Amino acid sequence: MKLSKRSRFIGGILGIAFGAIIAAFGVQGFIVQSGLSGGGIGGITLLLYYTLKLPIGLMTFLLNIPLFVLGWREVNKHFVFKTIWGLAIFSLFLDLLSGVRPLENIDIFLGALYGGVISGISSAIVFHFGGSLGGTDIIAKVIQRKYGVPMGTSSLAINGVIIMISGAILGSKVALYTLVTIFVYGRVLDLIQSGVPSKSITIISDQSEALVDRIMIDLGRGATFLHGRGAYSNEKKNVIICVVSLPEMGRLKQAVREVDPFAFMIVQNAGEVLGRGFISNE
């Protein structure tokens, strides 16, 4: 059953709010409690909190205002609207949850680990509904549009500068464990957004028909034939293209060995697979 446009909008707003609240809990409950910093605007607000005791939530919202002005001109208006909404909820709960302690006397490594996991989960929820929680992502998006620099590259450069400043003020130990938080955050976010790792397989075989039948029977996966021609033999060949999950790789290799031991197989990482049997296009 398809949802109406209004229902999807309301669901998206509630989803972004839910993700923002989880993010605020992760920051106050683990990152702040462990004395860690961060990248982007979050890193700056944490520095202001540790050194001047300025409220994290309020400063997060205020420091993002210039970015909204920039983003309103250069970035999709719906994205900016959802980001303002997400940031407002995030900033509010950052101050409401001040002092929350899910674990007493938490170790700094566990704080970095749990903080990264919760931040990755919350960001995945917010991104899924088309929003963000502000920060330097907007700057990175503008730089990408104007100068063609990948968002990952510009974000890494900006975050690197902020972490170096944090290290100079709070100490190298804090900076190093902050890098752990950022790494775990990125891995969790990638895993949730991309799903279980998959492999894209290209197979060149003289037994292509029999091999595809075996793949469909043993693995329950479909495949596609591409028409190719051997450069040396000048013979026409069917090239098999299929995608399998990581746990299915062993069965696929076994099938290829049994049907055609002389088959040529290329295995590549598939960062994200959309469609039947994987992540729904909807």
Side-chain angles (χ1 to χ4, degrees):
M1 182 179 67
K2 292 186 176 180
L3 297 175
S4 66
K5 187 175 181 180
R6 182 178 180 182
S7 298
R8 289 198 301 270
F9 175 78
I10 294 174
I13 291 297
L14 293 176
I16 291 171
F18 178 67
I21 294 171
I22 295 177
F25 174 78
V27 171
Q28 286 289 4
F30 296 101
I31 294 176
V32 173
Q33 187 181 350
S34 303
L36 295 166
S37 184
I41 296 297
I44 297 174
T45 57
L46 288 171
L47 276 177
L48 294 175
Y49 171 75
Y50 294 139
T51 56
L52 302 176
K53 297 301 179 183
L54 296 177
I56 300 175
L58 177 62
M59 296 309 301
T60 297
F61 191 82
L62 293 178
L63 290 177
N64 271 282
I65 291 177
L67 302 183
F68 287 139
V69 174
L70 177 65
W72 190 259
R73 292 183 176 182
E74 302 292 340
V75 185
N76 182 278
K77 303 300 184 293
H78 293 291
F79 172 77
V80 175
F81 169 76
K82 290 182 177 180
T83 299
I84 293 174
W85 165 250
L87 180 67
I89 299 296
F90 179 56
S91 300
L92 175 63
F93 276 85
L94 272 174
D95 289 340
L96 289 177
L97 295 175
S98 179
V100 65
R101 289 178 173 269
L103 297 174
E104 291 293 334
N105 302 319
I106 189 170
D107 177 79
I108 188 171
F109 175 74
L110 291 179
L113 186 63
Y114 293 152
V117 169
I118 294 176
S119 295
I121 294 172
S122 59
S123 290
I125 294 172
V126 173
F127 291 160
H128 175 75
F129 291 103
S132 81
L133 300 178
T136 52
D137 287 345
I138 295 178
I139 297 178
K141 204 172 187 70
V142 172
I143 292 175
Q144 182 188 42
R145 285 199 172 191
K146 282 197 168 185
Y147 305 106
V149 179
M151 284 186 65
T153 302
S154 54
S155 293
L156 182 63
I158 295 168
N159 291 336
V161 171
I162 295 173
I163 291 173
M164 284 192 292
I165 295 173
S166 299
I169 297 175
L170 303 176
S172 58
K173 182 178 179 180
V174 170
L176 290 174
Y177 279 107
T178 296
L179 290 175
V180 173
T181 302
I182 293 174
F183 175 79
V184 173
Y185 161 81
R187 295 300 297 170
V188 171
L189 181 60
D190 286 345
L191 179 61
I192 294 175
Q193 289 192 315
S194 300
V196 178
S198 301
K199 297 291 184 179
S200 174
I201 314 297
T202 303
I203 306 172
I204 302 172
S205 169
D206 292 331
Q207 306 294 326
S208 57
E209 297 281 355
L211 189 51
V212 166
D213 289 341
R214 182 72 178 272
I215 291 172
M216 289 192 292
I217 293 172
D218 285 7
L219 280 75
R221 293 291 185 187
T224 299
F225 282 129
L226 300 180
H227 297 298
R229 181 168 57 88
Y232 179 76
S233 64
N234 206 33
E235 294 180 357
K236 293 182 179 180
K237 293 179 179 289
N238 282 330
V239 179
I240 303 170
I241 302 291
C242 66
V243 178
V244 298
S245 64
L246 202 56
E248 294 170 331
M249 270 302 302
R251 283 187 289 159
L252 176 64
K253 290 180 179 179
Q254 181 65 27
V256 173
R257 280 194 296 266
E258 293 179 0
V259 175
D260 184 5
F262 300 101
F264 187 78
M265 182 167 63
I266 303 171
V267 180
Q268 297 175 302
N269 291 322
E272 186 173 10
V273 183
L274 304 175
R276 186 177 179 181
F278 294 92
I279 300 175
S280 172
N281 282 305
E282 297 178 356

